[in-house]
Each structure stands twice: as structure tokens, then as C-alpha cells.
Amino acid sequence: MTGLAGLAIAAFLAATPLPMNSELPFLALQGLGHDAVALVLVASVANTLGSCVTYWCGMQGERLRGGRWFPFTGAGLERARGWFSRYGRWSLLLSWAPGGDLIVALAGLMRLPFATFLALTALAKTGRYAALALAAAGIGGAFSAPG
């Protein structure tokens, strides 16, 4: 159970603005023989919850506008609004990719309805971990002794 708890922490933190990696612990645990379905479930839920924190941080952005920690100028914010109105909702399907946390924060900043955010983000995160588990199983199977 310790391995799954550690994976949950890593997956949660990886979806926040903190620098963290969840793929390495995921792959290590799978390599040690942990059940892939349990790994996908734990990592997906934790990573999605971490994205909820990032979404919330994005929602606070308007309150921080004009401060030194706010990443957009007035013109930059308008460009971001234009981009998000065109691609935003569906771009959350890339929330698993590098830079995906920025898309998640932008969804919060643009006040995307939470249910929409949650559904698309959970789908993307679960798909990523399922693909990772399948790829690792395929690679691991390639190195196993013929039996």
C-alpha cells in the first residue's frame, strides 16, 4: 500500500504548479509487479485532483491581475481569452502533456464550468496512465523469457 500512496502523492503534485514527475514512480511500481489497473486508478484520480488545485489557482488569477505574480499583461490576457474561446475546452484533452498545467490554469482563469473541466481532464489523465501502463506491459513483455 505504501507504493500506491507514494504514487498518489507524486501524481497529485505533478498536476500542480510544483515540479514533479509521476511517470517514473508509476513505471517503477508496475515493474515491481503492482496491478496495472490499480496503478491507473490511483494515478488518474490523484492527478485529476491535483489539476483541480491548478484550476482553482487559475480562478484566483483575475484577483491577482496587475500583481507581479500574474503572468499576463492586458494584451496577453486578451490573446489568451481569444485562444481559449477557440480551443480551450478541447485543449484540456492535452492536459496530460508537458505544459498541460498551463491549459488547466487557463481553464480556471477563463471560468470554464467545473463539470466540463473535470470530465475532460479526468478523461485525458486516465487515458495517459492507461497508455503508459499498456506501453510498459508491452515493453516488459518484449524482454521476458519465452515460456
Side-chain angles (χ1 to χ4, degrees), residues 40-51:
V40 169
L41 180 63
V42 167
S44 298
V45 169
N47 204 246
T48 300
L49 289 174
S51 287

Side-chain angles (χ1 to χ4, degrees), residues 108-131:
L109 182 64
M110 299 300 151
R111 301 285 198 251
L112 183 72
F114 183 73
T116 302
F117 155 78
L118 188 60
L120 291 171
T121 303
L123 178 65
K125 303 291 186 160
T126 303
R128 182 254 315 259
Y129 286 113

Side-chain angles (χ1 to χ4, degrees):
M1 192 60 154
T2 305
L4 291 178
L7 175 62
I9 292 167
F12 179 87
L13 292 175
T16 68
L18 299 173
M20 178 61 80
N21 179 297
S22 63
E23 290 81 10
L24 292 177
F26 184 97
L27 292 171
L29 290 171
Q30 188 172 354
L32 290 172
H34 281 73
D35 179 53
V37 173
L39 293 172
V40 169
L41 180 63
V42 167
S44 298
V45 169
N47 204 246
T48 300
L49 289 174
S51 287
C52 290
V53 170
T54 303
Y55 173 87
W56 179 83
C57 289
M59 290 187 74
Q60 305 311 304
E62 196 64 41
R63 193 171 54 90
L64 301 173
R65 190 175 183 178
R68 70 182 201 162
W69 293 102
F70 191 71
F72 296 106
T73 62
L77 184 57
E78 288 310 309
R79 277 195 308 278
R81 284 187 201 282
W83 180 88
F84 198 81
S85 68
R86 185 169 181 187
Y87 304 110
R89 173 178 313 221
W90 301 112
S91 68
L92 283 168
L93 293 173
L94 297 173
S95 62
W96 61 269
D101 296 339
L102 181 59
I103 297 169
V104 168
L106 197 53
L109 182 64
M110 299 300 151
R111 301 285 198 251
L112 183 72
F114 183 73
T116 302
F117 155 78
L118 188 60
L120 291 171
T121 303
L123 178 65
K125 303 291 186 160
T126 303
R128 182 254 315 259
Y129 286 113
L132 186 61
L134 289 170
I139 291 169
F143 291 107
S144 63

